[in-house]
Amino acid sequence: GRRGSASSGGPHGAPRSGSWLHGALEVLGGLDSQRAPGGGGRREGGRGVFVRRGPGAVSLPVGTLLLEEHPLVLRRDLHQLEEHLLTLSHTSEMPPSEFQSCQKQASPKEAEDALLGMYAGPGLQDAPLQRRVRGIISHNMHEADGLPRNGRPPARGPVGLWPTASLFNHNFGRPNVGRAFVPGEHVMQIRAIRRLEPGEELMDNYIDLRCSYEERLRAMRAQHGLSEPRDGLDAPPELLAEALRATRRARSLLEAGEADKAFSSLCPLREELAEMQPGGSQDAARPPLRDPALADFFEAFAEVAVAAGGLAETGLKSGLTRAFELVRGREPFSYLSAMLSSRAALMAVRLAREEEARQASDVQQSSAALSAARSSAQEWLDTARLHWKVVFGGAAPGVSFEAHNDEAASLLAGPAPDQPAREDWLAWLESEPALPGEPPEEPPVGRSTAMAATAEEEPAAPPEPRGGRPPRREEVTRCMSETDAAWTLFD
């Protein structure tokens, strides 16, 4: 997996001066580690990051910042990264000055040791330098994804190496941490997406959580030499293939300007899948479909519903809501859950503002419809801001939910036609979502002093959302820590 195999700093390979690791964590060798359930990626003798045990050990709540690290080396794309490092490796020693621009706080020797101490693959630690470098890139490179903008993915980011982050091993089935990058500086931040207990290993998911079993098996074998087990969320391959064909056809029709045909083409399969979802009318002997690989189909359904005109509410309830539920099947908080909930919040706010405009022009309109639309918008906003805070932090300048969701913020702040701005919308802009046991204050980017851990009681998880809505406000304020409902499928 993505981990070093030689010391790159203090005891047990502790982080160098280019990174900051939470004081409640430690790096342990292979004999100290245990394989995590649900598809852990570890080879014998490898290292991992663990929550410290022993006297004074603490649990770390959801949302806690665990690692902050500058990139060791960064290039525009994988080709340039390989070309750059392979050119350097033609010499017997890697010129350390090449790394100083990114690892601002690392000494030249630390930077060189960090690169060559990263895991290169089985039997490659003593291989010729160029072969080792190829292995290091393959096993450890990350793409520095930007933050979503108004619920949409950004342009692809640069590619680089973050040595301390490479110590976090892989788990697709039940990861407990997620990573994000500070815009502009490409500083990696890793946060807890589940409550972490003393002795627990921190596990990251290396690949897209929407990958089917076959896709992730190919990817992990090719890049990391690891196999991937199936789990109780994997849908039948033939069903995923049918959903993929339907999604591609609908998007082709949409690009051709035939939104109505695109919508009609997806409806039969959507209805079939709805019967297989929790609460549907599927065969009681067959477990409901929860595979995150189906999320893309429901995203496409939402897109074509909006484009078809007058079907935005259908797109929200039957498309984005279901996609959001699916991506949370293995990871309660993730880049995708933050992005999809932000997009759903924007759609819900638009629907609420449209309903306000209808009420303003027709006093005979039912107030119940307006109340329901406002309630849905507020619930989605609360949910989106919670996921944003857990995954991205949101405290640093340029990282806040409002800064990256300006369309929703503008709709909230501005009045509907012929109406004053609503006080409760404006109050939302100044509120802060609560987390499961508020994490300690985050350090400024690049700080390398230890952070004290807290162990606050985490509230019980609310029920999984149903009926086209996120958890209600009172559930969100209980922090929506995580639900273990889906994990009964593993038992």
Side-chain angles (χ1 to χ4, degrees):
R2 296 182 188 170
R3 60 195 183 285
S5 55
S7 179
S8 58
H12 301 291
R16 308 153 326 285
S17 55
S19 66
W20 173 91
L21 188 69
H22 195 294
L25 305 179
E26 61 182 341
V27 179
L28 298 175
L31 296 179
D32 303 304
S33 60
Q34 301 293 323
R35 183 183 176 88
R42 167 182 297 291
R43 294 187 185 87
E44 184 179 354
R47 295 184 300 163
V49 181
F50 293 78
V51 182
R52 294 182 185 274
R53 309 174 190 241
V58 295
S59 299
L60 300 176
V62 173
T64 300
L65 181 65
L66 306 168
L67 173 70
E68 191 170 73
E69 182 173 30
H70 287 272
L72 179 69
V73 60
L74 196 69
R75 286 297 180 270
R76 185 177 64 189
D77 53 37
L78 180 58
H79 174 74
Q80 285 196 0
L81 180 67
E82 290 179 339
E83 184 179 63
H84 175 68
L85 291 180
L86 290 174
T87 299
L88 293 178
S89 65
H90 277 296
T91 62
S92 59
E93 294 184 359
M94 307 285 281
S97 60
E98 294 291 337
F99 307 110
Q100 287 178 294
S101 61
C102 290
Q103 280 282 6
K104 299 174 183 178
Q105 300 182 24
S107 71
K109 186 64 169 65
E110 279 185 312
E112 182 180 356
D113 289 347
L115 176 71
L116 298 182
M118 297 173 77
Y119 182 76
L124 293 182
Q125 291 309 109
D126 297 318
L129 190 55
Q130 279 202 309
R131 193 175 173 199
R132 281 181 66 192
V133 169
R134 288 185 187 276
I136 287 168
I137 294 171
S138 174
H139 285 274
N140 299 283
M141 67 90 178
H142 283 283
E143 186 171 312
D145 301 312
L147 273 58
R149 188 83 183 187
N150 293 311
R152 299 287 178 179
R156 300 189 67 169
V159 174
L161 297 174
W162 289 260
T164 306
S166 72
L167 297 170
F168 288 73
N169 286 298
H170 167 70
N171 191 306
F172 184 82
R174 193 177 170 85
N176 51 22
V177 303
R179 63 183 178 275
F181 295 88
V182 176
E185 300 187 50
H186 309 299
V187 173
M188 182 188 289
Q189 295 181 330
I190 293 181
R191 290 182 170 82
I193 62 171
R194 304 179 192 275
R195 189 175 185 85
L196 302 172
E197 301 298 338
E200 185 175 357
E201 181 174 7
L202 278 59
M203 306 292 281
D204 183 20
N205 173 24
Y206 293 174
I207 53 182
D208 191 326
L209 62 83
R210 295 168 296 184
C211 284
S212 66
Y213 169 71
E214 288 74 16
E215 288 171 332
R216 67 181 187 263
L217 182 62
R218 286 195 300 269
M220 292 304 296
R221 281 180 174 172
Q223 189 172 352
H224 301 285
L226 297 172
S227 61
E228 280 287 324
R230 290 185 181 274
D231 64 30
L233 300 187
D234 287 317
E238 58 276 10
L239 179 60
L240 294 178
E242 183 182 358
L244 179 60
R245 287 193 298 270
T247 300
R248 288 174 173 172
R249 181 170 182 269
R251 285 182 168 147
S252 295
L253 288 169
L254 193 58
E255 289 174 3
E258 298 184 271
D260 289 340
K261 285 186 178 180
F263 181 78
S264 298
S265 72
L266 291 179
C267 283
L269 182 56
R270 193 210 66 80
E271 292 172 4
E272 181 183 341
L273 291 174
E275 294 178 356
M276 302 178 188
Q277 306 308 324
S281 57
Q282 79 278 359
D283 183 350
R286 181 179 179 181
L289 285 179
R290 297 177 182 267
D291 195 336
L294 291 167
D296 196 45
F297 172 85
F298 287 96
E299 276 192 76
F301 181 82
E303 290 173 15
V304 298
V306 171
L311 296 172
E313 187 173 0
T314 299
L316 176 60
K317 291 183 176 180
S318 301
L320 281 184
T321 296
R322 188 62 194 139
F324 173 72
E325 292 170 349
L326 287 169
V327 300
R328 295 186 65 234
R330 294 187 180 97
E331 300 183 32
F333 298 94
S334 67
Y335 187 102
L336 284 170
S337 74
M339 181 174 72
L340 289 174
S341 58
S342 296
R343 195 185 311 170
L346 174 58
M347 189 179 293
V349 170
R350 283 176 176 161
L351 288 169
R353 298 304 259 173
E354 289 170 5
E355 187 60 35
E356 287 176 351
R358 281 192 290 271
Q359 292 279 329
S361 61
D362 184 358
V363 293
Q364 301 299 320
Q365 287 279 342
S366 169
S367 60
L370 178 57
S371 177
R374 286 173 173 169
S375 176
S376 173
Q378 191 70 63
E379 290 158 8
W380 271 117
L381 287 166
D382 288 339
T383 299
R385 295 183 78 231
L386 174 61
H387 280 255
W388 192 275
K389 187 170 185 180
V390 169
V391 178
F392 304 127
V399 183
S400 70
F401 177 85
E402 290 78 7
H404 290 266
N405 292 275
D406 52 291
E407 290 186 21
S410 176
L411 284 169
L412 289 170
D418 304 319
Q419 280 199 322
R422 282 173 48 85
E423 291 299 323
D424 50 345
W425 288 139
L426 296 177
W428 171 83
L429 290 170
E430 300 174 356
S431 65
E432 279 294 324
L435 291 182
E438 196 67 27
E441 181 181 355
E442 297 181 4
V445 171
R447 196 179 87 182
S448 52
T449 57
M451 178 169 69
T454 61
E456 299 183 49
E457 185 68 19
E458 183 175 3
E464 187 177 353
R466 291 286 188 273
R469 68 165 183 87
R472 294 197 180 280
R473 179 191 293 272
E474 59 269 21
E475 296 167 355
V476 171
T477 55
R478 297 211 314 270
C479 303
M480 211 172 80
S481 56
E482 73 167 282
T483 174
D484 281 327
W487 303 109
T488 58
L489 298 174
F490 289 97
D491 297 337

